Amino acid sequence: MPKSRSTPKLTRRTALAGLSASAAMLAMPRLGRAADETIRIGFPTPLTGPFAAEARDQVKCAELAVKLVNDKGGIGGRKVELLVRDDKLNAGEAATRTLELIEKDKVHAVVGALSSAVQLAVNEVTRARGVIYVSISQSDTINEAKDFSKYTFHEALNPHMTTSAVARQTLKKGMKVAHLVADYAYGHEMLRGFKRAQAAIGADNVGEILHPFGAADYSTFMPRLMSMRPDVLCISNFGRDQANAIKQAVDFGVKQQMKIVVPVILHNQRLAVGPDVFEGVVGGANYYWGLETQNKTAADFNAAFKAANGGAIPTDYGAYGYSGVGSLLAAMQTAGGTETDKVVDALEKLQYDLTKGPQHFRKCDHQSVQSVLVLESKKKSAMATDNDLFAIVANDSGSDEMLRSCSELGHAT
């Protein structure tokens, strides 16, 4: 299958479209700032569209990270402000909002985005302006040399890490595997990761079907998938696409024939369609609140979030907002302020533990090395509470060995 990074709605070509009038701004030196001013963090995220639930959770957790720092006096006595902007899950919109954050709002750094293509658009703008960007959405591409810059940091897991962990827990040699894949960068990268993992395990690929981003009707795909007679069906999509695809697969009786696996199992989508639909589905995750019984950091994070949000629990993608902003602010504390080169150096050396255990950024590509959870959705009778959604099947501790090599990504070693 030829690789495509995005659907027409999410193309990188549109990322800087309409910004030609701002081209001169990209060549202008950034204005100096008073050392005692508020530290401003830009936060583009899709508050509207099919990923809105995850985006809202990210904002809540990012706001918590800022609050906790401000409650302790800020950074060198400077308060921190989070400037949230709706990127509408559109690369061009995200580029526009990011440029405004840099040029009009004078942000010191940017964290955010919730799409493979959108984060690449944000990254194009930030690296052109020499502004630190911490991405909190899955992508393999953003770490590759052609898209990387010294200002680019990737806090989220990437598809290679996620699919490898899930495949190790669900696939065996000789199994037949079929794929239903969202036809944009996220789906393509997850498919590539699963196929790479399958080859290493010795599982056989029996077919792949692409579906449009934002599809509502999957009825034409299910008979074709069932005719392939796989042992495992990997559904690689996100947000409401995940909920819709799994619900319709169950309606067609797919679970009676095969195991359903997803690269990223989403807290909000599981809540949206209930336990019966998701029962037995296995997927990867960066975070699950249930870690609190095993990990003190998770317990502390949960407690802080509950205190700030009326007893609610943090979600998986919400946790990225907390760790993405939190790691940046920790580096600013170490750097003694917002001077970009000093903060970059501090991020490269940072050893942090904000939600689930030790993390650090690999120097060659600034990928956050971290644990990967593999979760299985519980049946209703096994749920102790309404939030007791998943059983933790595995918790792979983070190591450089779980990543693609620096040389494979095009970086000098």
Side-chain angles (χ1 to χ4, degrees), residues 333-349:
Q333 291 276 22
T334 299
T338 56
E339 187 176 329
T340 299
D341 286 345
K342 290 183 179 179
V343 177
V344 167
D345 183 64
L347 280 166
E348 289 184 337
K349 297 174 181 176

Side-chain angles (χ1 to χ4, degrees), residues 46 51 58 89 111-120 133-143 153-159 184 186 189-190 238 317 320-321 367:
F51 302 169
Q58 289 192 332
L89 201 62
V111 180
L114 194 46
S115 155
S116 301
V118 171
Q119 69 183 284
L120 294 174
Y133 173 45
V134 182
S135 170
I136 53 174
S137 174
Q138 290 222 21
S139 174
D140 277 329
T141 306
I142 199 167
N143 298 114
F153 291 81
H154 191 228
E155 167 61 24
L157 298 172
N158 64 44
Y184 70 110
Y186 173 92
E189 291 184 0
M190 292 298 183
F238 192 86
Y317 265 69
Y320 280 142
Q367 169 61 46

Side-chain angles (χ1 to χ4, degrees), residues 150-216:
K150 79 174 200 175
Y151 309 107
T152 306
F153 291 81
H154 191 228
E155 167 61 24
L157 298 172
N158 64 44
H160 176 80
M161 300 164 73
T162 307
T163 54
S164 295
V166 172
R168 283 194 297 272
Q169 297 301 321
T170 58
L171 303 183
K172 296 180 181 178
K173 184 176 181 179
M175 277 187 169
K176 295 184 291 183
V177 185
H179 297 271
L180 178 64
V181 181
D183 191 11
Y184 70 110
Y186 173 92
H188 294 176
E189 291 184 0
M190 292 298 183
L191 174 62
R192 181 180 66 182
F194 270 133
K195 290 174 71 173
R196 181 169 176 159
Q198 284 171 217
I201 292 168
D204 300 321
N205 205 65
V206 296
E208 304 157 15
I209 295 177
L210 301 180
H211 74 75
F213 170 77

Side-chain angles (χ1 to χ4, degrees), residues 24 28 33 49 66 74-75 123 140 147 184 241 283 289 355 363 397-398:
M28 290 169 55
R33 303 186 180 99
V66 169
I75 296 174
N123 187 53
D140 277 329
D147 285 289
Y184 70 110
D241 285 353
W289 74 271
T355 63
K363 186 162 186 179
S397 59

